[in-house]
Amino acid sequence: MRHIISILMENEAGALSRVAGLFSARGYNIESLTVAPTEDPSLSRMTLVTRGTDEIIEQITKQLNKLIDVVKLMDMTEGPHIEREMMLVKVNTEGNRREELKRDADIFRGRIIDVTDETYTIELTGAGTKLDAFLETLDPEVIVEVVRSGVSGIARGDRALRI
Amino acid sequence: MELTGAEIFVRALQDEGVEIIFGYPGGAVLHIYDALYKQDKVEHILTRHEQGATHAADGYARSTGKPGVVIVTSGPGATNAVTGIATAYMDSIPMVVFTGQVPTHLIGNDAFQEADNIGITRPCVKHNFLVQDVNELAQTIKKAFYVASTGRPGPVVVDIPKDVTAQKAEYHYPEKISMRSYNPVQVGHAGQIKRAVKLMLGARRPMIYTGGGVILGNAAESLTELARALDYPVTNTLMGLGGYPATDPQFVGMLGMHGTYEANMAMHHCDVLIAIGARFDDRVTGNIEKFCPTAKIVHVDIDPSSISKNVKVDVPIVGCVDKVLKAMLKVLKEGKGQPDAAAIKEWWQQIDEWRSKDCLKYDRDSEQIKPQFVVDTFYKVSNGDAYVTSDVGQHQMWAAQYYLFDKPRRWINSGGLGTMGFGLPAAMGVQLAHRDAMVACVTGEGSIQMCIQELSTCLQYHLPIKIINLNNRYLGMVRQWQEFFYQGRYAMSYMESLPDFVKLAESYGHVGMLIDKREDVQPALEEAMQLKDRLVFMDFITDQTENVYPMIPAGGGQNEMILV
Ligand SMILES: Cc1ncc(C[n+]2csc(CCOP(=O)(O)OP(=O)(O)O)c2C)c(N)n1
């Protein structure tokens, strides 16, 4: 199953490579990984999407907890949660495609944030599946460039990952 | 008063109570060596190779329980230390290794003798630190010792750039340290402990299986008390030998690939398995699909990630093994439950039947020197009271099988990584920690050559180690596998062009003995033991094609042992 694991860790040099190294050394897969500082400058928050059986996910969380830099972690997928990912897509608008691309972007609540004679840049936020769906509606020919941020997640309700 | 980083380093070691540091100097650590020179509280032992320094610190740690301390220079000094760090990591040995680093402004520049020590050691340390500011040096050293020696112990690397050792700061060594991201569990869950005891008392065919955790966690006494209170059979892993007295009738020997028949059969047939400070390593379980098919399993370990890693368990208990065992004893004493005496009696009858196979028998009348006979004889002449280190190979298994360890921290070997070259330097660390003790290194002619240079260190520091070289002129363990599984194609397992070990030992200033007759084995060992203040290198010319038995072949279950 797919799991979203959020990790609070010491904002130290090398902390990221410890997590990445753990995954490669033990053969776990990482689908996406995002990391940025939090409101507390001594802490970074990392969101990691991985897949595995229950046993593997249990080992992953235990091994992550064992890293000295990891302060706390939460498997978002264990409860209701919100998942968001941001995507920037640059599309080619040549050949009277402007209208149609604008409409597609609107349907997915995307915003056009940059325009040139030949291109639009569309910003889109949502769950990964929504971003996938948007890309599928586009004619592959028009896609010039795709940038995805990787997943961020937060628990719904009172549940929170904080120290 | 402000001190330089190098002075802070030395003061911190003193305040930490470090008596011995093993190391090798070089450019990046010269300020530190200068500061070490000016004091006499911390003794520096100069090994002949950084690998030797790490194994020596490791042997010191294994035999005392105190963290071993190492200092090496940047670049090649640090890379040479990696094997020793990885060896300690695999066996959870507390160690603090200081590596020199190029000055901060040169890091990343491919400077002379620069290596990414943090990156290189990351997968084989419990944690590592790069000190970027002299103001953080003392605190980082404190953290390093704290992390290395608490929870599940392990090696910690502290990488110190040269400029940091020259800069000045106020010295303050924290008495205590706490880290919000590191809080090892201590006591086990009371409810789980009760559940475990209930399960244990309901057993009809119980088995206690213990590993290195009992040694590391100083839990041998509690284990012995618990096992005796229950009258249950005990087996130890290779790392756990000495955790339960080997001469006690309840001890059924080591388990695993070269464990005893009775230990492995009892594992296979038990209905309740009590695993304590052990990690279900593949050399122990054999084929995991066939492992303990009828057992409910209790698993006590300080590391949550050890639990249900290889084998799913029924009652996991995370905690310090000694505390958990004491809590179990308390529950046992307070409760009314008793083991099922009739069932246990029957179980012992079964075990004794397995025992009667005498799986460790060997040809005692052989004309040739049998390696087992050498270890057996050494056990007798040393009254079972020596510290025994070993290298890796057949000789290691024979030492584990035929030397009966009644006490913890007496058997010192690289079980996890299986590092040839470990034995001699580890013995140096043990001898330095226990100056008057009998310390022996059981080795093979292959392994001993991997760190042979340390004979020179032994002379310098008067370390009267007894080296028992079981010389079969083969990389014996490799040869055994080639005989069994590769139809006798002995690729590169023959040790040609061996040195004359007697002359070699003599040229290093030690005593050498060549023993090639069976009747000379005992007198030679006795003579060596008489030479209390000399290192004696005993080169035993042993039966060349002897194999280690019994054996679980790869893919086999614990009930599928090959016997002699
Ligand atoms: C550093 C290292 N290299 C290779 C091996 C693989 N290996 C395991 S046992 C062995 C043979 C050891 O030979 P020797 O020391 O003569 O001991 P024997 O098995 O003959 O008793 C080898 C090569 C190892 N364990 N460690």
Side-chain angles (χ1 to χ4, degrees), chain B residues 271-287:
Chain B
D271 68 345
V272 174
L273 178 66
I274 306 146
I276 304 167
R279 59 188 178 89
F280 299 87
D281 171 87
D282 52 280
R283 283 289 188 270
V284 157
T285 60
N287 187 336

Side-chain angles (χ1 to χ4, degrees), chain A residues 102-115:
Chain A
K102 169 83 170 73
R103 212 170 42 238
D104 287 344
D106 285 345
I107 293 171
F108 282 86
R109 292 173 198 258
R111 293 192 304 142
I112 295 168
I113 55 170
D114 191 40
V115 178

Side-chain angles (χ1 to χ4, degrees), chain A residues 10 18 42 59 62 66 68, chain B residues 128 180-181 303-305 307:
Chain A
E10 299 288 357
R18 287 182 213 281
S42 70
Q59 265 303 307
K62 283 174 170 176
K66 207 164 127 178
I68 307 289
Chain B
N128 57 20
R180 64 179 173 184
S181 61
D303 178 0
S305 74
I307 286 174

Side-chain angles (χ1 to χ4, degrees), chain A residues 10-14 17-18 21 25-26 40 42-43 55 58-59 62-63 65-71 163, chain B residues 89 118 122-123 125-129 132 143 147 152 179-182 303-310 312:
Chain A
E10 299 288 357
N11 191 3
E12 304 260 356
S17 59
R18 287 182 213 281
R26 294 195 182 262
D40 173 349
S42 70
L43 284 176
E55 289 77 39
E58 181 183 333
Q59 265 303 307
K62 283 174 170 176
Q63 293 292 348
N65 263 316
K66 207 164 127 178
L67 293 177
I68 307 289
D69 285 336
V70 169
V71 183
I163 55 167
Chain B
Y89 180 68
I118 295 293
R122 197 188 55 232
V125 292
K126 184 168 171 188
H127 195 57
N128 57 20
F129 298 94
Q132 283 167 302
K143 276 188 191 167
V147 171
R152 179 177 183 170
M179 292 164 71
R180 64 179 173 184
S181 61
Y182 176 68
D303 178 0
S305 74
S306 276
I307 286 174
S308 294
K309 182 171 73 177
N310 301 334
K312 265 244 160 292

